[in-house]
Amino acid sequence: MKDYQKYIRNFSIIAHIDHGKSTLADRLLQYTGTVKERDMKSQFLDNMDLERERGITIKLQTTRLSYKAKDGHTYILNLIDTPGHVDFTYEVSRSLAACEGAILIVDATQGVEAQTLANVYLALNENLEIVPVLNKIDLPSARPDEIKKEVEDIIGIDAHEAPLISAKEGLGIEDVLEEIIKKIPAPKGDEDEKLKALIFDSTYDNYKGVVTYVRIFQGTVKPGDEIHLMNSKKTFEVTEVGFHVPYPKPSLELKAGAVGYICASIKQVKDARVGDTITHVENPTDTPLPGYKKAQSMVYCGIYPSEGEKYENIKDALEKLQVNDAAFNFEPETSQALGFGFRCGFLGLLHMEIIVERLEREYDLGIITTSPSVIYKVVMVDGKEEMIQNPSNLPDLTKIDHIEEPIVKADIIVPKDYVGSIMEICQDRRGRMLHMEYVTPQRVLLHYEMPLNEVIYDFFDALKSKTRGYGSLDYEFLRYEKSHLVKLDILLNKELVDAFSMIVHESKAYQRGRFVAEKLKEVIPMHQFEIPIQAAIGQKVIARETVKAYRKDVIAKCYGGDISRKKKLLEKQKEGKKRMRQFGSVEVPQEAFTAVLKYDENK
Amino acid sequence: MKTNRLGLYAHIPFCERKCNYCDFVSFTGKDEKDFKKYIDELLKEIKDRGSEDYHVDSLYIGGGTPSILPSNLMERLLRKAYDSFKLTKDLEVTIEVNPATVDKEKLNSYRSLGINRISMGVQSFDDTILKKLGRIHSKKDVTDSYNLIRKAGFNNVSMDLMYAVPGQSEALWEESLKEAVLLEPEHISCYSLSLEEGTDFYDSFNKGTLKLPSYDEDVKMYLITGELLSKAGYHRYEISNYCKGGYASRHNLKYWNMEEYLGLGVSAHSFINGVRIENHHTLNEYYGREKVKSTHKNTEYDNISEFIFMGLRKTEGISLKDFEDRFSIPYKVYLKDRQDILKALIDQGFILEEEGRIKYTLKGILGSNRITIDLM
């Protein structure tokens, strides 16, 4: 180990949503004087409003802290924050790969959750040193001894020295810093060797282009160097290197063991994909760092301009989002019902929700999203295979031999009292239980295999609702499996509305069809004529509802004082109509598209 | 100098009992002392708002049940109104009358006071329906009162009827219409029941205890009305109003033509000098120093949209030339890209454009709300 490396620690914080990761990160920044108190917005690292609101970190932020330890030495602590959701497992794994250790925050009132476990396993895979920390110790319901034992039993690491802290109250922060220095190994790697740097995140800057966040494993990089990205096979010239403190601060070079950023006039984030290895054009390394994966969209949906919104505006916004998010992709598509729009691919359901919300809130766009879909493998009679992610593109049934759907491995942790109801909702969603284990006397880990299309439909909502928020879920793709799938169509006034079509399992078609028909009946306003709503598989109608016709749509009495009131009535009707979508002769409010997707406890 | 025409409206907010469908401002359980107090306040308002700048060509006493007032109070009210404004020679004076609230003496006094038009709140010629509506009169009261009115010498009588009422079949409605036609009033208004918040019917409907005729039945009854009345010599001049010859309601036409009117009394509305004025709705507030609850200066858009949605209520529709004269912009230019919608509405037979006017077809009337909002 080089001398300078002795005083570097590279670490992440892993935790379940709400267990206090961002709050602890903020405290570390504050304690080390990296961010002045008065500059502190609550939770500095979560820099998107949306993230702050939801209490989850979506986009990584990395910061270099400087800490004068009790041993008298000043250490450089590189805090690599990780996104806290199942959709971003790959991104988390690359961030962890950039570290030597990880702080594991466990809520002293709640204990270990499925997602904590998933991230711990990721960290153990990267051979990281795990430093457990018990948070929320100030709460009366904290059970530190019990939870320590839980950590030891479940994760198998020694937790008796775990600092007891309250990130919110700022208690025990110094203990955490000392533990980091004591427990987490310093980085190794020869600064004179051939360059090997891991990209674990990137953002886009209007002036500098793509800013890649890197961990240097060996070698040295400096401005002017010609670099080669080994997976994207692109070559660039370095314009700037530096550290985030937390604002970007340029430096002369980055040496083995360091965490920092590299700018090289890279135009698109997808050219500097997370997990890629940077080396020099001259004197390159032979072997890239392991673990690179291409971004793979698991969930798709259509995004369309709503009434009065311009296609071009949506396109611009999607392009901007894509610049910063290599995992997000889109292409133009046309729906008979919704007109011109885009088919968008996401890592998972949350990823989709985030993008949709950003379009609506950050970009202030009016959009309609269609039912999310997974990718189905359609095997044709002639043996050819087609990957279908838009139900409307399903080929003619007579040409299909069979359809396969993605199956995921789902780990669910729930308090034991809820096991029964969770097994019920899993079974209802075609889940197969592999086994279950008591992680503590109170908590149960259920291992399931489940079709992804059931998970993305309403499983999260159902899980949260049935366990009063205490259930947690982690899932990953397993394989494709042959399945009895059918295309469920919705007809309004006898006309098929393609935007409502979905692919469902045969056994669920009736239930889903009835649910959608009932929901649409609730949200579609009365018209001058009766509107039959039908759910159909091919020619066969499996559910039917009717929107009754208006009693009348004419103001009978209108004179005197009534004028202003009646006019208001018309103005209101006019406003309502603006938010409607016209399908043939039927007007459908935009909320119809989300209403048919919402989890309904009673259904 | 040309003097503007003005309609006067006076609201009498008293009834013997509240009908189950009615949401007009009206109070029950009041006695002559209350009536007197109210008329005193009404006279104060007339005094304050009287003006020589207008020629009043229509005076309308509505309610409530104006015929509940004793003749001396009615006389004070009318004299004050006549004294406070310039009147046209052909002034039309209408009073709303409920059957069984008038007698020979009252009617004679109306005549002598210059009232020349009676609007009867008949609603139905079926006793079961009348009871269901919460009316205090019977079918016999209607014919009796009607005969008294004719005997007193009134030659301009209107009847209000209601259809699409709970428990009313098409046949039953047709019967009421025929009974009305037999009496040969000059004017008939036929209103489809509308549920208004705060009424008994509204509450029962939401509780699920009130069953209304279906949309199809409602439409059928509307069509029957037009056909039957047309055969009997009445023509529809507004969505819900029919008359013989030249007996259209001068007063109500003012609303549909965006002409000026001054509303007096509790909850009355005015439209004057481009301002909409609303009086207080409770007696207590109305008896206070300020009778006006709110005023709103119409914007150009207000004027245009009201001109269109009120004007289209008339069978003759709106005149494109009138529009341009009023708003200094051709209607179709105003519509801009909505001209396509107008075209589609014409193609689909909802709107008729002829002789420089735009009007609803019969089919258009039935969906007039949704059509109007595209044209406003």
Side-chain angles (χ1 to χ4, degrees):
Chain A
M1 191 195 304
K2 305 281 172 151
D3 242 19
Y4 73 88
Q5 288 173 341
K6 266 193 216 162
Y7 303 110
I8 298 177
R9 297 290 184 274
N10 299 320
F11 70 103
S12 279
I13 304 176
I14 55 187
H16 186 68
I17 297 171
D18 280 347
H19 280 200
K21 182 176 70 174
S22 300
T23 317
L24 175 61
D26 284 349
R27 289 294 166 215
L28 295 177
L29 262 66
Q30 229 176 333
Y31 194 89
T32 55
T34 311
V35 174
K36 299 253 168 32
E37 191 113 19
R38 63 184 147 80
D39 296 335
M40 200 83 186
K41 255 193 191 176
S42 154
Q43 300 182 357
F44 191 88
L45 293 180
D46 288 357
N47 65 353
M48 292 188 341
D49 285 346
L50 194 69
E51 295 178 350
R52 202 165 295 125
E53 219 165 87
R54 293 186 156 218
I56 50 169
T57 310
I58 298 156
K59 204 77 185 96
L60 305 101
Q61 286 283 292
T62 289
T63 303
R64 175 174 156 138
L65 319 171
S66 177
Y67 172 62
K68 187 160 189 216
K70 286 181 179 162
D71 65 10
H73 294 290
T74 298
Y75 289 81
I76 290 167
L77 308 181
N78 291 310
L79 165 56
I80 296 166
D81 201 13
T82 56
H85 191 270
V86 289
D87 287 353
F88 301 93
T89 302
Y90 171 71
E91 280 70 12
V92 174
S93 81
R94 292 309 83 203
S95 291
L96 293 174
C99 306
E100 276 74 31
I103 297 175
L104 167 65
I105 306 183
V106 181
D107 186 324
T109 68
Q110 301 232 22
V112 178
E113 304 276 354
Q115 207 193 326
T116 324
L117 261 190
N119 285 342
V120 168
Y121 292 141
L122 285 176
L124 291 174
N125 272 346
E126 301 296 330
N127 291 319
L128 300 198
E129 187 63 42
I130 310 278
V131 179
V133 166
L134 267 56
N135 193 21
K136 303 196 185 175
I137 206 74
D138 57 313
L139 296 182
S141 53
R143 302 169 281 132
D145 293 335
E146 224 172 289
I147 304 293
K148 270 186 193 174
K149 183 151 187 323
E150 198 175 299
V151 171
E152 291 179 351
D153 288 350
I154 302 173
I155 303 173
I157 55 172
D158 185 0
H160 77 275
E161 280 183 358
L164 305 181
I165 70 161
S166 164
K168 192 164 148 255
E169 300 299 325
L171 298 174
I173 305 304
E174 190 181 19
D175 297 345
V176 177
L177 290 163
E178 289 294 324
E179 281 285 294
I180 292 169
I181 286 159
K182 206 166 81 189
K183 293 265 175 69
I184 297 177
K188 292 183 207 131
D190 191 337
E191 72 207 80
D192 301 320
E193 260 294 332
K194 294 168 180 174
L195 178 64
K196 260 192 199 187
L198 170 72
I199 301 177
F200 61 85
D201 188 21
S202 56
T203 58
Y204 188 82
D205 181 288
N206 283 336
Y207 302 101
K208 299 174 185 173
V210 175
V211 180
T212 60
Y213 291 60
V214 296
R215 159 71 196 271
I216 314 291
F217 279 92
Q218 60 179 45
T220 302
V221 63
K222 55 186 186 308
D225 288 359
E226 292 267 339
I227 53 169
H228 180 65
L229 273 63
M230 299 179 77
N231 287 292
S232 73
K233 306 203 186 327
K234 305 243 165 146
T235 297
F236 302 96
E237 187 189 321
V238 175
T239 55
E240 182 182 321
V241 300
F243 310 101
H244 285 93
V245 291
Y247 55 88
K249 185 180 172 191
S251 68
L252 293 175
E253 57 183 16
L254 296 177
K255 293 193 289 187
V259 169
Y261 68 88
I262 298 175
C263 302
S265 306
I266 304 171
K267 296 273 186 325
Q268 299 182 64
V269 172
K270 66 178 176 213
D271 291 336
R273 168 86 176 120
V274 167
D276 208 341
T277 303
I278 298 177
T279 190
H280 281 124
V281 173
E282 300 275 326
N283 196 21
T285 177
D286 301 333
T287 46
L289 293 158
Y292 177 79
K293 267 201 268 179
K294 269 191 170 168
Q296 201 192 1
S297 300
M298 303 266 276
V299 176
Y300 282 82
C301 80
I303 292 184
Y304 288 84
S306 62
E307 202 64 43
E309 188 59 76
K310 290 202 182 85
Y311 173 87
E312 284 301 318
N313 293 348
I314 309 248
K315 189 174 170 218
D316 286 352
L318 291 178
E319 275 167 0
K320 277 183 194 143
L321 285 172
Q322 196 178 34
V323 158
N324 245 317
D325 186 347
F328 166 60
N329 64 70
F330 67 94
E331 56 184 49
E333 80 168 0
T334 312
S335 151
Q336 281 166 11
L338 297 169
F340 294 107
F342 303 91
R343 180 116 300 234
C344 304
F346 310 92
L347 294 172
L349 204 58
L350 183 91
H351 189 208
M352 175 179 114
E353 278 177 29
I354 289 162
I355 298 274
V356 166
E357 281 203 50
R358 290 187 68 180
L359 289 172
E360 285 174 340
R361 306 226 312 234
E362 263 173 63
Y363 294 90
D364 198 22
L365 296 172
I367 54 169
I368 294 176
T369 54
T370 64
S371 318
S373 169
V374 301
I375 308 174
Y376 297 94
K377 188 190 281 182
V378 179
V379 181
M380 313 296 279
V381 178
D382 62 9
K384 278 188 194 143
E385 284 181 6
E386 269 188 54
M387 302 305 276
I388 299 288
Q389 22 89 345
N390 183 347
S392 301
N393 295 343
L394 198 68
D396 189 53
L397 286 181
T398 56
K399 293 180 185 155
I400 297 175
D401 183 70
H402 68 271
I403 307 175
E404 294 177 15
E405 65 177 331
I407 305 291
V408 295
K409 173 175 168 291
D411 289 348
I412 303 155
I413 291 188
V414 290
K416 73 172 181 358
D417 294 345
Y418 299 113
V419 167
S421 53
I422 293 311
M423 284 167 70
E424 215 172 273
I425 64 169
C426 288
Q427 193 171 353
D428 187 45
R429 283 159 183 76
R430 298 187 286 133
R432 281 186 298 256
M433 194 168 81
L434 302 177
H435 61 282
M436 80 180 223
E437 51 188 299
Y438 273 82
V439 289
T440 74
Q442 295 308 315
R443 289 141 53 76
V444 177
L445 172 56
L446 302 163
H447 297 278
Y448 267 92
E449 283 187 9
M450 220 187 280
L452 182 60
N453 86 354
E454 300 285 347
V455 176
I456 65 163
Y457 177 55
D458 65 355
F459 187 69
F460 278 121
D461 294 338
L463 176 70
K464 287 289 168 199
S465 156
K466 291 281 184 199
T467 62
R468 293 162 64 213
Y470 288 113
S472 62
L473 164 80
D474 186 69
Y475 68 83
E476 62 179 330
F477 174 74
L478 267 184
R479 61 172 179 275
Y480 271 91
E481 205 176 273
K482 189 172 167 178
S483 183
H484 288 288
L485 297 161
V486 292
K487 180 167 160 247
L488 180 63
D489 290 322
I490 300 297
L491 293 86
L492 295 181
N493 207 20
K494 312 244 165 77
E495 286 179 55
L496 193 148
V497 179
D498 59 359
F500 284 124
S501 293
M502 56 182 104
I503 292 174
V504 294
H505 192 259
E506 208 172 22
S507 66
K508 305 293 290 291
Y510 179 75
Q511 186 192 348
R512 194 71 63 84
R514 203 177 47 192
F515 174 77
V516 172
E518 279 170 11
K519 279 282 163 189
L520 288 176
K521 186 192 173 184
E522 280 171 31
V523 296
I524 294 177
M526 288 186 186
H527 284 55
Q528 279 155 253
F529 43 86
E530 283 200 345
I531 304 165
I533 301 170
Q534 295 161 306
I537 300 170
Q539 299 300 313
K540 192 178 154 210
V541 173
I542 57 166
R544 186 195 156 102
E545 292 283 342
T546 306
V547 178
K548 289 261 185 290
Y550 263 116
R551 215 176 102 66
K552 58 191 68 120
D553 193 29
V554 44
I555 294 168
K557 268 189 214 179
C558 193
Y559 46 74
D562 265 337
I563 292 175
S564 350
R565 239 178 66 201
K566 305 291 188 197
K567 196 174 116 199
K568 265 182 207 148
L569 227 120
L570 288 179
E571 297 284 356
K572 213 171 138 191
Q573 200 170 341
K574 192 173 177 178
E575 267 314 300
K577 195 170 173 176
K578 269 191 204 157
R579 291 191 296 270
M580 297 283 182
R581 273 281 170 164
Q582 190 86 31
F583 295 116
S585 50
V586 181
E587 283 172 355
V588 180
Q590 287 181 23
E591 71 246 39
F593 293 91
T594 41
V596 299
L597 303 176
K598 281 218 179 93
Y599 172 68
D600 191 332
E601 184 122 33
N602 306 311
K603 294 284 156 71
Chain B
M1 196 186 98
K2 186 179 170 266
T3 318
N4 287 331
R5 297 286 170 119
L6 182 72
L8 276 188
Y9 174 84
H11 190 67
I12 309 299
F14 303 112
C15 285
E16 218 163 281
R17 76 160 275 187
K18 189 94 188 158
C19 298
N20 296 333
Y21 55 86
C22 174
D23 76 328
F24 284 106
V25 172
S26 147
F27 309 96
T28 55
K30 304 286 180 187
D31 57 21
E32 288 219 23
K33 225 173 68 205
D34 300 311
F35 299 162
K36 185 179 173 302
K37 162 93 175 140
Y38 181 74
I39 294 298
D40 287 344
E41 292 289 334
L42 200 52
L43 297 193
K44 275 191 216 162
E45 194 187 6
I46 296 175
K47 190 179 156 221
D48 289 348
R49 295 171 81 173
S51 159
E52 295 286 305
D53 299 344
Y54 289 92
H55 273 150
V56 171
D57 60 356
S58 162
L59 168 57
Y60 195 103
I61 320 273
T65 309
S67 50
I68 205 172
L69 291 185
S71 300
N72 65 319
L73 288 180
M74 187 58 72
E75 179 170 355
R76 282 184 62 205
L77 169 61
L78 287 171
R79 297 259 176 254
K80 185 72 182 178
Y82 294 156
D83 290 349
S84 308
F85 295 89
K86 281 186 189 160
L87 310 171
T88 61
K89 281 203 185 96
D90 63 346
L91 172 69
E92 182 176 288
V93 186
T94 308
I95 186 167
E96 285 180 353
V97 160
N98 276 336
T101 60
V102 282
D103 52 25
K104 199 174 146 196
E105 284 66 39
K106 224 177 225 178
L107 289 166
N108 284 336
S109 123
Y110 288 172
R111 280 284 287 166
S112 63
L113 287 169
I115 293 176
N116 49 27
R117 186 170 182 268
I118 302 273
S119 171
M120 286 182 79
V122 174
Q123 315 313 350
S124 175
F125 282 88
D126 182 274
D127 281 336
T128 321
I129 298 276
L130 284 170
K131 209 165 170 195
K132 204 166 264 172
L133 292 172
R135 302 292 292 178
I136 53 168
H137 61 85
S138 66
K139 173 189 170 186
K140 185 169 180 302
D141 292 331
V142 174
T143 38
D144 289 353
S145 297
Y146 183 80
N147 290 332
L148 283 177
I149 288 166
R150 286 301 194 196
K151 253 183 220 154
F154 289 97
N155 58 12
N156 188 354
V157 180
S158 172
M159 285 186 181
D160 281 3
L161 296 174
M162 280 175 85
Y163 67 96
V165 169
Q168 189 182 39
S169 63
E170 287 155 39
L172 213 52
W173 168 237
E174 204 171 328
E175 233 166 83
S176 270
L177 274 176
K178 282 180 179 161
E179 298 264 10
V181 166
L182 276 178
L183 294 174
E184 297 183 43
E186 282 70 25
H187 185 282
I188 302 179
S189 303
C190 299
Y191 299 115
S192 160
L193 170 71
S194 48
L195 287 181
E196 303 292 348
E197 231 177 302
T199 61
D200 278 7
F201 272 4
Y202 186 85
D203 296 341
S204 323
F205 181 77
N206 284 324
K207 269 187 232 143
T209 54
L210 187 78
K211 203 179 165 298
L212 297 171
S214 71
Y215 171 75
D216 289 345
E217 288 172 290
D218 191 329
V219 168
K220 273 234 184 82
M221 290 191 214
Y222 185 73
L223 298 179
I224 289 171
T225 310
E227 284 163 22
L228 199 149
L229 291 184
S230 163
K231 274 184 203 147
Y234 296 85
H235 72 274
R236 179 190 289 125
Y237 70 99
E238 192 260 3
I239 289 178
S240 304
N241 284 280
Y242 305 79
C243 69
K244 285 186 173 175
Y247 285 100
S249 163
R250 182 185 288 177
H251 195 82
N252 284 350
L253 275 171
K254 287 186 185 292
Y255 301 124
W256 304 317
N257 286 329
M258 291 272 291
E259 289 163 2
E260 293 182 300
Y261 53 91
L262 179 62
L264 304 159
V266 70
S267 81
H269 286 67
S270 309
F271 179 54
I272 207 157
N273 281 328
V275 181
R276 293 212 173 271
I277 302 167
E278 181 182 5
N279 281 2
H280 281 300
H281 285 226
T282 65
L283 289 176
N284 259 343
E285 286 170 297
Y286 180 72
Y287 292 165
R289 193 179 303 160
E290 183 56 77
K291 305 210 177 301
V292 170
K293 182 182 174 211
S294 65
T295 60
H296 168 79
K297 172 98 181 97
N298 262 13
T299 62
E300 186 75 345
Y301 173 71
D302 287 334
N303 286 331
I304 290 179
S305 56
E306 285 166 17
F307 178 83
I308 288 167
F309 103 83
M310 296 301 280
L312 282 174
R313 294 190 66 84
K314 296 175 294 172
T315 305
E316 62 175 33
I318 52 171
S319 148
L320 297 177
K321 185 176 175 301
D322 279 359
F323 184 97
E324 196 172 339
D325 289 347
R326 259 182 195 250
F327 306 112
S328 315
I329 177 176
Y331 178 55
K332 288 182 186 175
V333 175
Y334 165 76
L335 277 183
K336 281 193 254 173
D337 45 357
R338 289 186 296 163
Q339 275 186 72
D340 288 348
I341 300 180
L342 176 61
K343 260 186 221 141
L345 288 170
I346 291 171
D347 281 351
Q348 292 168 21
F350 290 104
I351 289 278
L352 207 62
E353 183 181 357
E354 56 182 19
E355 290 161 6
R357 306 187 77 93
I358 285 183
K359 51 185 99 167
Y360 294 133
T361 60
L362 187 54
K363 185 174 152 192
I365 289 177
L366 297 174
S368 54
N369 289 0
R370 351 206 77 212
I371 295 170
T372 310
I373 58 180
D374 282 330
L375 299 177
M376 270 163 48

